[in-house]
Amino acid sequence: MDLNYSTEELTFRDDVRSWLRSNLPAELKQKVESYQELSKDDLLGWHRILAKKGWVAPDWPVEWGGTGWSVTERYIFEEECGYAATPPLVAFGLRMCAPVLLRFGTEAQKKRFLPRIYNGEDFWCQGYSEPGSGSDLASLKTRAARQGDHYVVTGQKIWTTLAHHADWIFCLVRTDPTQAKRQDGISFLLIDMKTPGITVRPIILMDGGHETNEVFFDDVKVPAENLVHEEGKGWTVAKYLLGYERMGTGNIAVSKRELARVKAMAGPLLDDPRFRDKLTRVEVELMALEITNMRFLDQLRGGRAPGAEVSLLKIKGTEIQQALTELMVQTAGPFAQAFRPVNGPLNDHVGFDRLTASLLPRYCNVRKATIYAGSNEIQRNIIAKATLGL
Ligand SMILES: Cc1cc2nc3c(=O)[nH]c(=O)nc-3n(C[C@H](O)[C@H](O)[C@H](O)COP(=O)(O)OP(=O)(O)OC[C@H]3O[C@@H](n4cnc5c(N)ncnc54)[C@H](O)[C@@H]3O)c2cc1C
């Protein structure tokens, strides 16, 4: 979308663009553009390049490393990263645990964890969901029993994204099973993944990639100083964090790059009125989403935490991502049909290039987007109750 940028903003955009051009390693860009699985080193490598420049956490308070950019500058930065095809910044530390610590953490917790998150020294993951406790998260059973100066944690988390890379996990645990209101017995704990008693087992997704895991806790001793906020107040922390999580699921800048790519790949399909109709619908929805996102960013600038209405960004953003993968598969015609697991060998004799070979696995992979961070059905329930008052 063309905004009327001021001269200073245009200069800022040019600076960001040229810095990205010189500092984004070519092989990372190529991996992102061809949808290859990114290793821990790929993810942290880019994180650290940005941290060194001072740009890894623009929205943090300046005293902890934030850039102090205006909402427009932050928007420009996101846009430019999207165009440049930078690897994603893993949100668990930067955009989930950090806002929680800034809001609810003690000074000691902030000093201990925030600089390490900033510099990419600790890789975090999120331990919310359990078997049987996804949408109905408040039913979670992982138990944390207080014994002197530590908790003993026993139970299981599931779908834990990138737990196999993680140094730390932030977890919702049940500290008081006797509370009549289930939410009241839940606490928020930070757990070192190297603690004895933790086992991580992979769950392979339908594209063949290893992103998610089961995490088992077997009498895991966690120091009581790793409790965030008060015992039994974990639900308040959890909800605050989910607002930030859902803000980040729109992926607008990436969708804009994908949309441009679909157009470039479509060729004669652009003359097909049904294809053109679908493409135009996605484009209009993406423009509408972008404007909505800017409204929310403006509210954040005014110091308001993201509220229930960010569910809208999650629903629309993920529907658009899925629609774009469908259009891409269509552009590849019959070549898209042969399935090749992500990062598997190329089947050169049937004329595959790396991009074409990645389209169907990507289509399969992005099915997850309407499930994680709270399924889209649940987001609709939230909008109905909290925003529309139904
Ligand atoms: C790829 C991926 C990565 C994930 N990463 C993480 C992670 O890192 N950490 C983490 O803690 N969790 C993670 N999750 C878990 C995710 O948050 C849950 O899968 C999600 O909340 C849905 O819960 P569930 O799987 O238990 O499904 P269920 O809650 O059993 O839902 C099954 C179906 O029923 C629908 N449904 C359920 N309740 C209602 C209702 N009240 N009204 C209408 N429809 C309803 C749902 O929309 C869904 O379609 C991840 C999930 C995926 C797929």
Side-chain angles (χ1 to χ4, degrees):
M1 183 165 315
D2 285 332
L3 294 176
N4 287 328
Y5 292 132
S6 66
T7 318
E8 294 77 35
E9 285 161 351
L10 284 173
T11 309
F12 174 80
R13 187 188 65 183
D14 293 345
D15 289 348
V16 169
R17 195 172 286 177
S18 74
W19 185 85
L20 287 171
R21 207 174 292 133
S22 337
N23 289 278
L24 173 61
E27 71 275 25
L28 273 187
K29 181 179 171 70
Q30 197 268 332
K31 265 187 152 179
V32 171
E33 286 184 330
S34 57
Y35 309 122
Q36 289 175 62
E37 204 170 41
L38 296 167
S39 67
K40 182 175 180 179
D41 283 347
D42 291 335
L43 295 166
L44 280 183
W46 179 239
H47 179 123
R48 288 178 185 147
I49 291 172
L50 280 179
K52 209 164 150 215
K53 175 70 178 163
W55 285 356
V56 84
D59 44 350
W60 287 18
V62 174
E63 67 267 32
W64 290 105
T67 53
W69 287 341
S70 67
V71 166
T72 315
E73 285 167 331
R74 267 156 57 186
Y75 169 80
I76 290 172
F77 181 69
E78 291 276 320
E79 283 273 286
E80 292 303 319
C81 287
Y83 288 137
T86 60
L89 287 171
V90 176
F92 301 118
L94 284 172
R95 293 187 184 161
M96 295 192 212
C97 191
V100 157
L101 291 177
L102 286 161
R103 170 77 179 75
F104 298 101
T106 60
E107 272 315 294
Q109 286 172 337
K110 288 181 203 172
K111 284 201 182 106
R112 179 174 173 203
F113 292 110
L114 290 177
R116 295 183 62 83
I117 293 177
Y118 190 94
N119 293 315
E121 289 167 78
D122 290 335
F123 198 109
W124 283 80
C125 66
Q126 176 184 27
Y128 274 26
S129 307
E130 297 180 8
S133 304
S135 303
D136 185 19
L137 189 58
S139 70
L140 63 91
K141 294 187 192 65
T142 294
R143 179 84 173 96
R146 181 81 188 240
Q147 288 183 6
D149 59 357
H150 60 263
Y151 290 93
V152 177
V153 179
T154 312
Q156 185 198 342
K157 298 291 173 183
I158 195 167
W159 303 115
T160 323
T161 300
L162 302 183
H164 52 302
H165 294 335
D167 303 299
W168 283 83
I169 182 168
F170 55 82
C171 265
L172 290 179
V173 290
R174 188 160 299 282
T175 37
D176 184 355
T178 63
Q179 289 288 337
K181 197 172 164 220
R182 299 177 307 173
Q183 286 82 348
D184 290 343
I186 293 174
S187 300
F188 192 97
L189 268 190
L190 311 177
I191 305 179
D192 185 339
M193 291 290 281
K194 289 184 290 300
T195 322
I198 298 182
T199 310
V200 178
R201 283 200 207 138
I203 302 177
I204 302 300
L205 296 185
M206 62 197 281
D207 63 349
H210 179 192
E211 286 179 32
T212 52
N213 302 275
E214 294 177 288
V215 182
F216 297 88
F217 298 86
D218 194 4
D219 288 339
V220 174
K221 275 177 83 173
V222 180
E225 68 198 32
N226 291 6
L227 173 76
V228 177
H229 202 31
E230 292 164 45
E231 191 177 292
K233 293 273 172 22
W235 195 250
T236 311
V237 182
K239 282 195 298 184
Y240 182 81
L241 183 147
L242 283 173
Y244 281 91
E245 181 175 5
R246 285 164 194 161
M247 277 295 286
T249 45
N251 264 334
I252 296 168
V254 174
S255 288
K256 286 172 78 173
R257 185 179 78 233
E258 308 270 271
L259 180 78
R261 191 166 204 180
V262 171
K263 286 183 184 170
M265 286 161 63
L269 264 181
L270 283 176
D271 298 327
D272 175 345
R274 280 169 305 178
F275 183 85
R276 231 179 28 228
D277 182 43
K278 267 199 216 162
L279 184 67
T280 311
R281 265 170 210 268
V282 175
E283 185 159 15
V284 170
E285 295 240 306
L286 186 53
M287 284 168 72
L289 181 69
E290 202 180 357
I291 296 168
T292 310
N293 187 46
M294 288 169 84
R295 276 206 335 258
F296 291 141
L297 285 178
D298 206 39
Q299 287 173 7
L300 279 187
R301 182 174 57 167
R304 222 188 101 184
E309 62 280 8
V310 295
S311 295
L312 201 69
L313 295 183
K314 205 268 160 168
I315 297 172
K316 278 294 160 196
T318 52
E319 284 178 357
I320 290 168
Q321 286 158 42
Q322 291 188 340
L324 285 167
T325 64
E326 284 156 29
L327 290 168
M328 273 204 190
V329 167
Q330 244 182 300
T331 63
F335 284 121
Q337 302 308 318
F339 182 85
R340 183 190 65 98
V342 70
N343 293 338
L346 284 177
N347 227 346
D348 287 329
H349 63 281
V350 286
F352 271 22
D353 57 36
R354 193 166 274 289
L355 175 65
T356 312
S358 68
L359 294 182
L360 203 59
R362 181 166 163 75
Y363 167 86
C364 292
N365 182 281
V366 177
R367 300 303 100 191
K368 71 188 177 189
T370 46
I371 304 172
Y372 64 47
S375 75
N376 284 18
E377 289 78 19
I378 294 299
Q379 305 305 324
R380 288 192 174 85
N381 287 349
I382 292 173
I383 292 175
K385 282 191 203 136
T387 310
L388 303 176
L390 298 175

